[in-house]
Amino acid sequence: MKSIRARFAAVVPAIALVIALLMPLAAGQARKPRTRSTEIAPGVTYTVIRDYKPAWRIRVLSVDLRRASTLDVALAQDRLPGLETTSSMAARHGALAALNGDFALPSGRPVHAFAMDGALVQTPQAWSRNFAARADETATYIGHPEHAASFAEFDTGLIHSIELINEQIRRDKQIALYTRFGGSLERPPTFACSARLMDLETPHLNADGTSVEALQQVDAVACSDRRMAKRGGSVLAAGAQSTRAPEIATLLPGEQLRHGWTFGWPGILDSIGGNPTLIEGGLVATANVTGEGGFFARHPRSGIGTTPDGHVLLVAVDGRQPKYSVGMTLQEFADLFVRLGADWALNLDGGGSTAMVVNGTLVNRPSSGYERAVSSALLVLPGADPGETYSSRPPTPSPSVSATPSATPSPSPTALTGAPNLGAGDVRALWDSIRADRGSTGGLLRWLRSLGFRVDHLLRA
């Protein structure tokens, strides 16, 4: 019989091998990330990255703007109010892929400025940063949009500013426009001077591409304590006793107006909001991504970035799932975009809202265990956007820039398929979860409040 010493000597090599294999993990040396990429369409690549220390599951859609696919945006339910899953929006638009978009308020409306197919759907509810790509996809923009809207009278040449789109008038010197996108959430006011406008053409870029415009005709004008019905058009309104009321009251039925809007970025018909910017001009926006609040901690993240060679990156990181994916701080998320080669990047709604869809399948694992209904989505279409019309004489292409910001009526809402039907209790429960989510709207609004922006009314909604 072998001695105890001999038997121990025989197993030493096996023990040494196990120790050698475990030493890198015991010493805290991370295993190399695993990466798998698939081209889902010409110029559109889907990449899954698995990192181990910390545990991260990262999904990246890289879209080459020089190829046939097109970036688009979707509004939940195509109206306000609206809440809809990213999967549903991708399906009804026939998208190759999609990523959840802007942060949501309790009604489902986006927090920031939003434009779709030439229609300025709403002015921002809070300090806004946005992403936009030119309609011809020769340039992209990330930054603060300097939105402006107006209507011009053909007979007098007068140009009138519009301060609000699908938002209630709160001050004396404001004119608001209520479009069909406002749905039942934003209706024309009572005790107002109002003009109903009917579309004469589809919203399109003007000749030099600096703004979107459309011709409209005045259908009716009234100053009344009763709200004016849209009746398939849009309504301009000012408070009946305000200093702006005469600008509406003097319009005449039958006269034509030129209506327009701009974000200060040439050539755009679509735009979606987010906050904060993560990378600006190739550098991490350190002041935006570092802080003490819960918004800066590790959460599931969604974001969009651009590269100098004309690619757009849609990125989703799962979180709140130990050993699978713990999520990223805003600093880590910005660093990820740097590693992916982005020179500009914007944070989108995260937390339980993070969702990425590829070829009709939800590919990430939402932290709540189910896909949350959201306000909007970014889409990758297989070809041209059928809803867009733009000038045949676009301006000279400009590079991706950081910009800091007149309103077109929206087309009729499209029929919905597969959109969720949420009751009042469901909507309240959803808002409660979003408001409590530090990686989603709740964290964003508390961060904005810490910077001195007025958002308490949004938190109480």
Side-chain angles (χ1 to χ4, degrees):
M1 181 179 291
K2 292 183 179 179
S3 68
I4 295 176
R5 178 177 296 179
R7 281 182 288 172
F8 179 74
V11 299
V12 165
I15 295 173
L17 177 61
V18 172
I19 292 174
L21 291 173
L22 294 178
M23 277 184 63
L25 299 179
Q29 297 176 12
R31 294 162 62 184
K32 292 182 179 179
R34 293 171 55 187
T35 301
R36 182 179 73 254
S37 295
T38 306
E39 187 176 54
I40 62 172
V44 182
T45 302
Y46 169 56
T47 300
V48 180
I49 304 170
R50 181 179 181 182
D51 211 340
Y52 296 92
K53 193 173 182 65
W56 282 328
R57 297 295 179 102
I58 303 163
R59 291 169 173 82
V60 182
L61 284 163
S62 176
V63 183
D64 187 344
L65 296 182
R66 297 164 295 187
R67 307 295 290 274
S69 58
T70 305
L71 289 175
D72 196 13
V73 300
L75 180 68
Q77 306 279 7
D78 277 348
R79 65 180 185 273
L80 303 175
L83 288 163
E84 188 176 359
T85 62
T86 302
S87 295
S88 175
M89 286 183 271
R92 65 185 179 84
H93 285 273
L96 290 169
L99 179 69
N100 69 286
D102 195 1
F103 298 83
L105 292 177
S107 60
R109 76 183 305 159
V111 171
H112 304 101
F114 189 90
M116 181 169 68
D117 293 341
L120 181 50
V121 173
Q122 70 168 34
T123 39
Q125 307 300 293
W127 173 256
S128 186
R129 289 185 173 95
N130 277 65
F131 166 82
R134 281 179 46 132
D136 59 8
E137 298 204 332
T138 59
T140 55
Y141 310 93
I142 288 177
H144 176 57
E146 294 288 359
H147 69 272
S150 64
F151 68 95
E153 299 182 58
F154 276 91
D155 56 352
T156 65
L158 293 175
I159 299 176
H160 309 268
S161 64
I162 299 173
E163 284 68 37
L164 304 170
I165 308 294
N166 289 321
E167 187 175 350
Q168 290 302 307
I169 296 170
R170 294 182 177 86
R171 293 192 293 275
D172 176 70
K173 296 181 179 181
Q174 291 181 331
I175 287 179
L177 176 73
Y178 300 89
T179 75
R180 282 165 284 182
F181 274 126
S184 61
L185 177 66
E186 294 293 355
R187 298 188 295 164
T190 57
F191 298 96
C193 288
S194 306
R196 183 165 53 243
L197 311 177
M198 308 305 292
D199 301 348
L200 296 179
E201 60 184 5
T202 302
H204 56 277
L205 291 173
N206 64 4
D208 62 6
T210 56
S211 65
V212 179
E213 61 180 29
L215 189 64
Q216 295 178 297
Q217 183 168 296
V218 178
D219 179 64
V221 180
C223 292
S224 171
D225 59 349
R226 302 176 64 182
R227 71 178 84 248
M228 178 173 282
K230 299 173 190 175
R231 295 182 181 175
S234 54
V235 172
L236 278 171
Q241 302 300 317
S242 75
T243 57
R244 303 294 302 276
E247 298 176 53
I248 305 296
T250 54
L251 296 175
L252 299 173
E255 75 169 297
Q256 294 184 357
L257 308 176
R258 176 69 67 184
H259 189 41
W261 65 268
T262 180
F263 276 9
W265 298 330
I268 72 165
L269 293 168
D270 298 325
S271 185
I272 197 167
N275 242 325
T277 46
L278 304 169
I279 302 176
E280 299 174 350
L283 300 176
V284 172
T286 305
N288 294 342
V289 301
T290 55
E292 298 299 325
F295 188 51
F296 301 92
R298 279 181 172 161
H299 299 291
R301 298 288 181 186
S302 299
I304 186 167
T306 63
T307 68
D309 62 354
H311 287 72
V312 172
L313 307 173
L314 281 62
V315 181
V317 180
D318 280 325
R320 301 173 183 164
Q321 299 168 77
K323 298 183 180 180
Y324 177 77
S325 189
V326 297
M328 288 187 173
T329 66
L330 282 178
Q331 175 73 63
E332 290 168 336
F333 200 35
D335 292 340
L336 170 62
F337 273 102
V338 171
R339 293 196 299 275
L340 294 174
D343 56 352
W344 295 89
L346 177 69
N347 183 59
L348 301 173
D349 189 9
S353 299
T354 291
M356 179 176 282
V357 176
V358 177
N359 289 329
T361 300
L362 180 69
V363 294
N364 72 304
R365 187 187 293 180
S367 61
S368 57
Y370 61 90
E371 186 181 359
R372 176 189 283 173
V374 294
S375 74
S376 54
L378 276 156
L379 309 177
V380 182
L381 303 180
D385 182 351
E388 290 188 353
T389 302
Y390 59 93
S391 172
S392 60
R393 295 184 295 151
T396 302
S398 57
S400 189
V401 297
S402 175
T404 53
S406 305
T408 45
S410 58
S412 300
T414 57
L416 301 182
T417 57
N421 295 313
L422 299 177
D426 298 321
V427 171
R428 172 51 60 183
L430 178 58
W431 168 237
D432 287 344
S433 69
I434 292 172
R435 180 168 52 185
D437 192 334
R438 295 182 300 169
S440 186
T441 306
L444 169 75
L445 295 182
R446 286 172 175 81
W447 171 62
L448 290 174
R449 183 175 61 182
S450 73
L451 298 178
F453 293 104
R454 294 180 60 254
V455 297
D456 283 352
H457 62 294
L458 301 178
L459 280 166
R460 290 193 300 268

